[in-house]
Every structure is written in C-alpha cells, then in structure tokens.
Amino acid sequence: MVAPYTAAPASAGDRADTFRVDQTRGTIMSTELTMLAWAIVLGLVHISIAAVLSVAGRGVGWAAGPRDGTPPPVGPLAARMSRASANFIETFAFFAAAVLAVMVAGKSSETTVLGAQIYFWARVAYIPAYAIAVPFLRTLVWAVSLIGLVMVLIGLFH
C-alpha cells in the first residue's frame, strides 16, 4: 500500500521535504500552505469557542435576537476567548499574506516551513494560555507566534 502523500519537489531547486504530493489527485501542497489551511480551521475553532461561551453567558434569546443596545455582560472566560478570537484574526491576515507571498515568489525554505509551523502551534497554544489567565504566559505564546510569522517573512527576502 502506498501512502497517499509522498515528499516531492514542486520544481527544480525546491526542497523535497517541504512539499507533499497527493498521489490520489496528483496535486502538490507545501508545508506552509498546509499550516495555512490548518490555521483557517483554527480560526473557526476560535470563533466557535467564543460564540458558545457568549451564548452560554448571554442566553439564546440574545444570540438569536437583533442584538440592539448594550449586550449583557459575559463571564471572564467568555470575555477572554472573545479577545483571543479577535487577536487571532488580527495576526492571521499577516500570516496568510506572508505564506501566500512565499508561495507565489517560490521562496519556500526550511525557515519558512519552521516559521509557519511555529506560528500555527503557538496560536493553538494561545487558546488555553489565554483561558487559564496565567500572567505573562499569553504574552509569551503570542510573541512566539510572531517569531514564527517573522520567520515566514524573512524567507521572502532570502
């Protein structure tokens, strides 16, 4: 049995271990694009967590209604998860642009691959880090995600 994905370069000069070939479809997906796809899923997870906690705190009537006026307050966890979701959306646009620019420019490298992975996994860790409210932990995880983002950007200039 052959695995559905095998490592293969997209063109001469590309690193073989940064691309995956789907043998069932014959398409190529870079690690950076794979991380971007998973980051989209993570964004939906962020929105879902924030929405569920908001509805739990404010009630279905508020969620299904026109939401006119001042919204009822939510608990600290719901408020933190709403802020975490907003923060993800702020950084995601830069991450997506950086990954797409690297792909269009043909600048995939070990640095861009590692940077994309660091960004993604740090953003995964950001959810519980923000939820548990340990001083400085959320900020440290956020900083690590930015380091990953900068690593992807550096790839454009090398």
Side-chain angles (χ1 to χ4, degrees):
M1 176 118 199
V2 177
Y5 293 97
T6 58
S11 63
D14 285 334
R15 292 185 48 244
D17 60 343
T18 64
F19 291 88
R20 297 180 344 157
V21 176
D22 181 340
Q23 293 178 345
T24 59
R25 295 188 189 115
T27 57
I28 297 174
M29 180 96 149
S30 70
T31 301
E32 296 94 332
L33 285 175
T34 301
M35 291 294 97
L36 177 57
W38 281 112
I40 293 167
V41 172
L42 182 60
L44 295 173
V45 169
H46 268 283
I47 291 168
S48 298
I49 292 170
V52 165
L53 292 173
S54 176
V55 170
R58 293 180 173 138
V60 174
W62 175 84
R67 299 181 186 183
D68 293 332
T70 304
V74 294
L77 179 60
R80 285 194 298 270
M81 292 298 91
S82 178
R83 291 190 301 271
S85 180
N87 182 269
F88 174 82
I89 291 167
E90 290 169 2
T91 65
F92 175 76
F94 292 106
F95 176 68
V99 166
L100 294 174
V102 163
M103 293 295 97
V104 168
K107 297 282 196 165
S108 179
S109 68
E110 290 178 5
T111 301
T112 61
V113 167
L114 183 59
Q117 292 169 330
I118 289 171
Y119 171 84
F120 174 76
W121 290 112
R123 294 312 309 201
V124 168
Y126 192 78
I127 295 171
Y130 212 146
I132 61 176
V134 173
F136 301 105
L137 179 61
R138 171 189 57 86
T139 304
L140 176 64
V141 172
W142 175 83
V144 169
S145 77
L146 283 189
I147 289 168
L149 176 54
V150 169
M151 288 173 69
V152 175
L153 283 173
I154 287 171
L156 283 172
F157 302 102
H158 285 254

